[in-house]
Amino acid sequence: MSEFKSFKDLLIWQKGILLVKTIYTSLESFPKDEIFGLQSQIKRAAVSIPSNIAEGWGRSSTISYIHFLKIARGSLFELETQIIIANELNFISDLKFNEITQIITEESKMLNAFIKSLSK
C-alpha cells in the first residue's frame, strides 16, 4: 500500500464511487412509495462499498484492512441482490441493470484481487 498516498488513489475506491453515482441516478425511476424501502437499502449498500474501503485504509494493520475489504465485498453482493430484485420488479430498465451489474462485476474482481494480494 506504500505506493498509494490515499485511499482515493485506489482504483477499487474510485470504481466504488462510480458505482454509487450510477446507482443514485438509476433510482430516479423507482416508484415514490419505495423511497424508504428497497431504494433506501440499495443506497446504503452502495455507499457502504467505498466507505469500507476508505475506513479500512485508516486502520492500523493489514489484517484489519482485509476485514474491511471483505465487508465492502459483502455489501457489493448485497447490492447485486437488491439490483436483481429491482430489475425483477421492473423498477429499473434492463439497460440500467446491465450497466450496474457490469460495474459490480468489475468491482468484485478488483476487490478479490486486492484482498488476495494483501493476504500474501
Side-chain angles (χ1 to χ4, degrees):
M1 289 190 308
S2 61
E3 68 258 16
F4 301 105
K5 294 179 181 170
S6 167
F7 62 86
K8 294 177 270 185
D9 296 330
L10 297 170
L11 292 178
I12 57 169
W13 181 83
Q14 294 169 12
K15 182 72 69 176
I17 295 296
L18 173 65
L19 183 56
V20 171
K21 291 180 348 188
T22 304
I23 288 295
Y24 267 71
T25 59
S26 300
L27 296 179
E28 294 169 354
S29 63
F30 266 53
K32 296 300 176 213
D33 63 343
E34 277 298 323
I35 197 162
F36 298 112
L38 186 58
Q39 184 177 7
S40 176
Q41 288 285 107
I42 290 171
K43 286 179 178 180
R44 284 197 306 273
V47 168
S48 177
I49 298 160
S51 297
N52 275 292
I53 293 166
E55 184 173 355
W57 177 272
R59 297 297 171 145
S60 59
S61 74
T62 302
I63 292 171
S64 184
Y65 191 29
I66 291 169
H67 173 73
F68 278 90
L69 292 172
K70 288 179 178 178
I71 292 171
R73 186 174 58 189
S75 294
L76 188 65
F77 294 150
E78 178 184 359
L79 175 63
E80 183 175 21
T81 299
Q82 294 162 349
I83 290 301
I84 290 168
I85 293 167
N87 185 250
E88 291 286 324
L89 293 171
N90 295 314
F91 291 170
I92 58 171
S93 69
D94 289 339
L95 183 65
K96 275 293 182 185
F97 173 78
N98 291 335
E99 178 185 0
I100 293 166
T101 54
Q102 180 181 354
I103 299 169
I104 287 171
T105 300
E106 293 169 2
E107 181 77 341
S108 180
K109 289 177 182 177
M110 292 168 68
L111 272 168
N112 287 333
F114 195 44
I115 290 167
K116 187 177 179 180
S117 73
L118 290 176
S119 298
K120 291 182 180 179

